[in-house]
Amino acid sequence: MSASESGCAHGKGGESPSSCAAGPAEHGPGYSGGIARTAALLGGFALVSRVLGLLRDMSMAWLVGGGAAADALVAAMRLPHVLRRMLGEGSLSMTLTASLVHLERMGASPGHAVEGERSRSMRLLARALAVRLGLVLTLLTVLGLVGTPWLTDILAPGFYGPERQEAIYLLRICLPYTLAAGMAALGMALLHSLGVFWLPAVSPALFNIVILCFAGAAALGLLPAAPALAVGMLCGGIAQWLAQWLAVRRLLPLHNAGPGDRPDAAQGSAGADESSLQRRAASLAWNCLGRLPAGLLGASAPQLAMLAAMSLASSMGRGQVAALYYAERLLELPLGLVGVCLGMASLPTLSRLAAAREFSLFSDQLRTALRLTLLLSLPAATGLWAVGPRLVEGLLRHGAFGDNAAYETGLALWAYLPGLPAFAVNRSLLAACNALGEVRRTAVSAVWAVVATLAVGAALVHSLSGSLGVMAPALAVSFGLWLQCGFLLSILGRALKKSSAGAASASACLPSAGAVLRQCAAAAATALAAWQLLELLHGRGIWLGLALAIIGGATAWAVCLFVLRDADALAAARALAHRLHGRPHQQ
């Protein structure tokens, strides 16, 4: 990575964030590796965050187990968790970033070409967005606190008696997190639009650290376990909010540069009417926020589908809601490293290319993002199939988390795995659709995904008997996500034909059949190698078996890709060789 590229990724390197974020439209085809490098940067920080999140979930399993108490806590935290993913981990940021990039592009007139004026306009827009979004989220939070009993009945209709009362109490503690998560997400979107990616990627780690501190206090007997975890969630959200906005204030200072700091060409506009600029910022803010409801709905299909799955599971017996939650949490590591990172890394690039009507480059960038997503998500799914139940046993079967809870969590994890590639692919497809302005249609795709989850889940609940019933809601989620994937491809194809007057199509954005077949073969080799190693090492220690199975599966995946001459694997090997020899890698 060259110095300038590193600077763009971090918002440093001697360039302003806005100029760093200029993107591929100005750099041309040679910039095609930018998405992979930015995703790698985000992936490194996401790895730290997901490991901390795993420690958080292990502590939760140890403290409250997988029974009725865990069900009440999970039900109370479910809506804030969904809002965290919708608002604080990319969905709201995805919609806002696309809007901000378009608005910045539209406002790049000669009168705003001076960097100081652009920074001034962005500062006013950030303030206008913060005030309006803050008021909306405050109102929603107050309404949620007033209607907590009804929210609990919607989220977990199968809860009665003390379990329902505990869920209501914990939900009231967690709900104010909505405000903190939304404001943190706005800060994240502003940083992304300015070309700063590292801080938004680090902030989930800060969230997990705060919750771990409260979990530690509960483990020491200083606080009751469930309320401590709920309060930790709220405090973690506040910490994320403060971190994002301190960075935004530093990049967009409140005070304008003095006349002596302005270029001569800008001194003539120094007396511009401040109220006129504020009115323009207010108009742009409402324009940006007006896209949020539909955009947020479209980007939140996985979270809403999992919310629907929890509603189905709440009437299936004790421990079912907790099993779904823990299985979902184990998916967070591959999803965070693959789908979310590639989706967020590609969004500013795709938005600028769409605004510049560079549809050939747009197709190339999206094809790269989808190919890399499948390259990593397919072996993640098959590898988790091989090691999943043993992983649940090693990570969670401690303290109050018993054998039956571990078994049901393993089954739920297996049922989620078919949808893992769809979840990852959908993030890049949503980025492309948002970049093309197809916000309302993505919302329709999310509605269909949730409806399909409920319908298929209800059918499977009555079809699968006994302990296999816990798989029904998760299988329904997987089906719903693949259905949304098909809808998004259809939306993308229509939008490209309309925007490019027929010159571009969805097929040009898809990886080649040969590349997908190579990736599927490598993913199958991953599962086979990991499963065989676990069988050979059975009885010799769970962590030794898991470590060697994961290493063996990853090795089989890499060897298979090299044997099949996969272009991405060979390019990565060449880049690594150049890096080890201290020579810059030429693309």
Side-chain angles (χ1 to χ4, degrees):
M1 187 188 300
S2 66
S4 62
E5 289 158 351
S6 177
C8 287
H10 290 263
K12 301 178 182 178
E15 299 183 35
S16 69
S18 298
S19 60
C20 280
E26 291 81 14
H27 289 76
Y31 199 77
S32 60
I35 287 180
R37 284 191 294 271
T38 303
L41 171 73
L42 297 180
F45 290 120
L47 177 61
V48 176
S49 171
R50 302 300 173 175
V51 170
L52 289 172
L54 189 59
L55 292 175
R56 180 198 71 207
D57 295 323
M58 290 172 64
S59 65
M60 176 177 165
W62 186 78
L63 289 169
V64 298
D71 280 349
L73 179 60
V74 168
M77 297 178 72
R78 171 59 68 181
L79 183 59
H81 266 305
V82 168
L83 292 171
R84 177 167 66 90
R85 292 173 193 155
M86 289 170 63
L87 303 177
E89 290 193 351
S91 298
L92 183 144
S93 180
M94 178 176 286
T95 304
L96 279 177
T97 300
S99 300
L100 288 169
V101 169
H102 277 290
L103 293 174
E104 182 189 16
R105 191 101 189 177
M106 290 163 54
S109 60
H112 291 78
V114 179
E115 188 61 39
E117 292 299 323
R118 178 181 296 178
S119 176
R120 184 185 179 198
S121 298
M122 283 294 290
R123 174 174 53 80
L124 291 173
L125 178 58
R127 181 187 296 170
L129 282 169
V131 171
R132 286 154 180 80
L133 183 62
L135 289 174
V136 172
L137 291 174
T138 300
L139 177 61
L140 291 176
T141 301
V142 172
L143 291 175
L145 290 172
V146 172
T148 302
W150 295 280
L151 278 177
T152 304
D153 292 337
I154 293 172
L155 293 171
F159 285 4
Y160 299 98
E163 193 174 17
R164 177 178 178 271
Q165 294 303 317
E166 181 72 5
I168 292 172
Y169 168 66
L170 295 173
L171 183 56
R172 285 193 172 122
I173 297 175
C174 295
L175 267 180
Y177 173 79
T178 305
L179 174 61
M183 299 307 294
L186 176 57
M188 180 188 298
L190 290 166
L191 292 174
H192 283 161
S193 66
L194 294 170
V196 179
F197 291 93
W198 70 271
L199 182 57
V202 167
S203 64
L206 181 61
F207 172 82
N208 289 324
I209 289 172
V210 173
I211 294 185
L212 283 172
C213 290
F214 279 86
L220 294 173
L222 302 177
L223 295 169
L229 293 169
V231 173
M233 172 180 241
L234 173 59
C235 294
I238 294 173
Q240 282 184 293
W241 178 6
L242 292 176
Q244 305 289 330
W245 279 94
L246 286 174
V248 171
R249 285 172 64 89
R250 181 182 176 188
L251 291 171
L252 301 173
L254 293 176
H255 301 289
N256 297 327
D261 298 327
R262 297 174 181 268
D264 293 339
Q267 288 187 13
S269 61
D273 187 2
E274 184 74 13
S275 63
S276 175
L277 286 175
Q278 289 178 350
R279 285 195 299 271
R280 181 174 182 271
S283 175
L284 292 177
W286 285 122
N287 187 355
C288 193
L289 291 176
R291 305 183 187 188
L292 280 187
L296 197 58
L297 179 59
S300 304
Q303 290 78 33
L304 295 175
M306 290 174 179
L307 199 63
M310 189 197 75
S311 179
L312 290 169
S314 67
S315 60
M316 295 171 58
R318 290 187 174 183
Q320 305 297 301
V321 172
L324 284 177
Y325 170 79
Y326 290 122
E328 178 192 335
R329 300 306 302 163
L330 290 175
L331 292 178
E332 287 297 307
L333 184 60
L335 287 178
L337 294 178
V338 182
V340 175
C341 290
L342 281 167
M344 290 310 303
S346 60
L347 178 57
T349 298
L350 293 174
S351 297
R352 291 185 176 89
L353 290 173
R357 304 188 67 81
E358 294 281 354
F359 293 110
S360 176
L361 283 175
F362 182 95
S363 299
D364 289 342
Q365 293 288 334
L366 180 56
R367 183 169 59 249
T368 298
L370 292 176
R371 193 177 65 247
L372 292 175
T373 298
L374 288 174
L375 178 68
L376 298 173
S377 63
L378 288 173
T382 58
L384 272 176
W385 173 83
V387 306
R390 201 71 61 87
L391 192 63
V392 170
E393 183 181 350
L395 291 175
L396 302 177
R397 194 172 60 82
H398 307 287
F401 200 87
D403 291 339
N404 186 62
Y407 175 69
E408 291 181 340
T409 301
L411 290 178
L413 178 61
W414 271 351
Y416 271 133
L417 290 178
L420 193 154
F423 186 108
V425 165
N426 282 356
R427 302 303 292 185
S428 294
L429 291 177
L430 281 166
C433 290
N434 280 333
L436 293 170
E438 295 293 331
V439 178
R440 289 186 178 88
R441 288 190 174 92
T442 60
V444 173
S445 74
V447 171
W448 279 110
V450 175
V451 170
T453 299
L454 287 171
V456 173
L460 289 176
V461 164
H462 292 91
S463 302
L464 297 176
S465 60
S467 59
L468 294 179
V470 72
M471 301 178 72
L475 285 172
V477 170
S478 296
F479 177 84
L481 293 181
W482 278 112
L483 182 66
Q484 190 196 23
C485 185
F487 274 115
L488 291 175
L489 283 172
S490 176
I491 293 167
L492 180 64
R494 288 198 296 267
L496 280 175
K497 286 182 180 179
K498 179 181 177 181
S499 300
S500 65
S505 64
S507 60
C509 303
L510 299 178
S512 66
V516 174
L517 288 175
R518 288 191 294 271
Q519 292 168 359
C520 289
T526 301
L528 182 62
W531 178 71
Q532 288 289 346
L533 284 170
L534 275 180
E535 290 297 314
L536 289 173
L537 296 170
H538 184 70
R540 299 190 180 182
I542 187 170
W543 286 111
L544 175 64
L546 281 171
L548 292 180
I550 293 171
I551 293 172
T555 302
W557 171 71
V559 169
C560 186
L561 288 174
F562 282 119
V563 169
L564 295 175
R565 308 295 294 171
D566 182 79
D568 291 308
L570 295 175
R574 286 193 295 270
L576 180 61
H578 281 81
R579 179 64 58 87
L580 292 175
H581 287 87
R583 299 194 303 270
H585 175 52
Q586 300 296 327
Q587 298 196 10

